[in-house]
Amino acid sequence: YFLSLQKREISNFDYLMYLNTLAGRSYNDYMQYPVFPWVLADYHSETLNLTNPHTFRDLSKPMGAQTVERKHKFIQRFNEVEKNLSAQCHYCTHYSSAIIVASYLVRMEPFTQTFCSLQGGGFDVADRMFHSVKSTWESASRDNMSDVRELTPEFFYLPEFLTNANHFELGCMQDGTVLGDVQLPPWADGDPHKFILLHRQALESDYVSAHLHCWIDLIFGHKQHGSAAVEAVNTYHPYFYGDKMDLNNIKDPLIKSTILGFISNFGQIPKQV
């Protein structure tokens, strides 16, 4: 597969799906749903310039290190080991979880019911719902220290998840905005199909093709854990590393239940490939 990728015989999308499958991730498991990267950093321009490196996200860094200030805050957290943490790590939240997947796809069934079930029976507060690609990028890359989420495959092929075709009442934000369709970047001209087309072109662009291996190292490869992960500002709470924990040796049922619940709610690191 890697040689096929180098020879441009398969797409970046297909290669990422292959890696996800190899790492045990599946559409059938919201807790281990396929994870895809943010590839763009430009959600404000009228036109998308895929020849400009500044258009793209830094694929060599995790979402927690996309800005210098944010990176230093997470390094500080790692060094200080806050009192409420049971182990040293940069991130106490994850880049992919059942609630992240369901929140992205909440406008389509069966994800609507899944989201409501995870939320205790209803939609979340409107201001916390996925409503804008630009604001979600800003939250995950810059503004919110508890948000390091990546994307799902649907961002690269399924325009339907961006529209509220079922007319769900998703609520009203504090600024008066009524939630409906997802707000798209100016370069998409309000057209979900154009957004998907350009976003897929970005994924398959020369820039991403040249740098995608850096992100793969962070998520699926050698920078996933250990000293390389520490150096890359890419360590997560130990409970997220499900395959590194031997649950069979944990005798206390309460502790075992807590760990399983943690993984279920907050995400799981893919198996290293």
Side-chain angles (χ1 to χ4, degrees):
Y1 272 90
F2 182 68
L3 289 175
S4 297
L5 183 69
Q6 284 186 318
K7 296 176 181 177
R8 298 294 180 93
E9 292 174 356
I10 66 169
S11 65
N12 290 337
F13 182 93
D14 287 341
Y15 188 65
L16 286 171
M17 282 304 302
Y18 170 72
L19 285 176
N20 272 281
T21 303
L22 204 62
R25 303 186 79 85
S26 164
Y27 282 118
N28 297 322
D29 187 351
Y30 292 175
M31 291 181 288
Q32 295 192 79
Y33 205 78
V35 56
F36 269 59
W38 289 95
V39 294
L40 294 174
D42 182 355
Y43 298 96
H44 57 271
S45 297
E46 293 295 328
T47 57
L48 193 62
N49 183 359
L50 296 181
T51 63
N52 183 356
H54 296 292
T55 297
F56 298 91
R57 166 256 181 103
D58 187 342
L59 287 161
S60 70
K61 295 180 175 65
M63 290 304 291
Q66 288 297 306
T67 70
V68 174
E69 181 183 8
R70 183 170 161 95
K71 176 182 176 180
H72 286 162
K73 285 181 179 178
F74 281 119
I75 292 174
Q76 184 179 13
R77 170 188 284 179
F78 181 89
N79 291 332
E80 289 178 352
V81 189
E82 298 173 6
K83 294 178 181 177
N84 64 331
L85 297 182
S86 59
Q88 195 173 38
C89 64
H90 294 109
Y91 313 116
C92 303
T93 53
H94 199 255
Y95 48 77
S96 178
S97 67
I99 192 65
I100 289 173
V101 171
S103 68
Y104 278 146
L105 306 176
V106 69
R107 290 165 177 79
M108 299 190 310
E109 293 288 12
F111 301 97
T112 311
Q113 293 305 313
T114 300
F115 181 84
C116 290
S117 176
L118 292 169
Q119 282 294 128
F123 293 117
D124 198 357
V125 175
D127 286 82
R128 290 200 297 258
M129 295 282 288
F130 172 52
H131 66 278
S132 160
V133 178
K134 177 176 179 285
S135 65
T136 302
W137 160 255
E138 290 172 348
S139 172
S141 67
R142 186 188 70 196
D143 297 339
N144 189 344
M145 290 292 285
S146 63
D147 183 3
V148 292
R149 78 188 103 166
E150 294 278 8
L151 301 180
T152 63
E154 286 81 2
F155 276 82
F156 300 95
Y157 70 84
L158 190 68
E160 286 78 12
F161 88 96
L162 297 164
T163 63
N164 188 21
N166 292 317
H167 306 291
F168 294 120
E169 294 184 5
L170 302 173
C172 182
M173 298 174 64
Q174 288 185 351
D175 64 4
T177 302
V178 177
L179 264 59
D181 297 345
V182 175
Q183 295 174 9
L184 303 175
W187 44 260
D189 296 327
D191 182 353
H193 289 83
K194 185 174 182 179
F195 171 84
I196 295 295
L197 174 65
L198 292 176
H199 205 215
R200 182 64 173 266
Q201 287 178 0
L203 178 65
E204 305 298 341
S205 67
D206 290 340
Y207 180 90
V208 171
S209 296
H211 296 86
L212 187 57
H213 68 281
C214 299
W215 183 83
I216 290 171
D217 286 343
L218 293 169
I219 306 301
F220 300 103
H222 74 286
K223 293 183 180 179
Q224 190 189 72
H225 60 86
S227 59
V230 174
E231 187 177 341
V233 194
N234 193 44
T235 66
Y236 297 80
H237 193 284
Y239 287 176
F240 292 139
Y241 298 87
D243 63 333
K244 298 287 185 292
M245 301 191 68
D246 189 356
L247 294 176
N248 293 324
N249 285 334
I250 299 175
K251 304 303 180 186
D252 189 323
L254 183 60
I255 295 176
K256 183 181 289 189
S257 175
T258 300
I259 294 173
L260 290 172
F262 195 95
I263 293 170
S264 174
N265 288 319
F266 297 108
Q268 190 170 350
I269 302 289
K271 292 176 184 176
Q272 192 173 16
V273 296

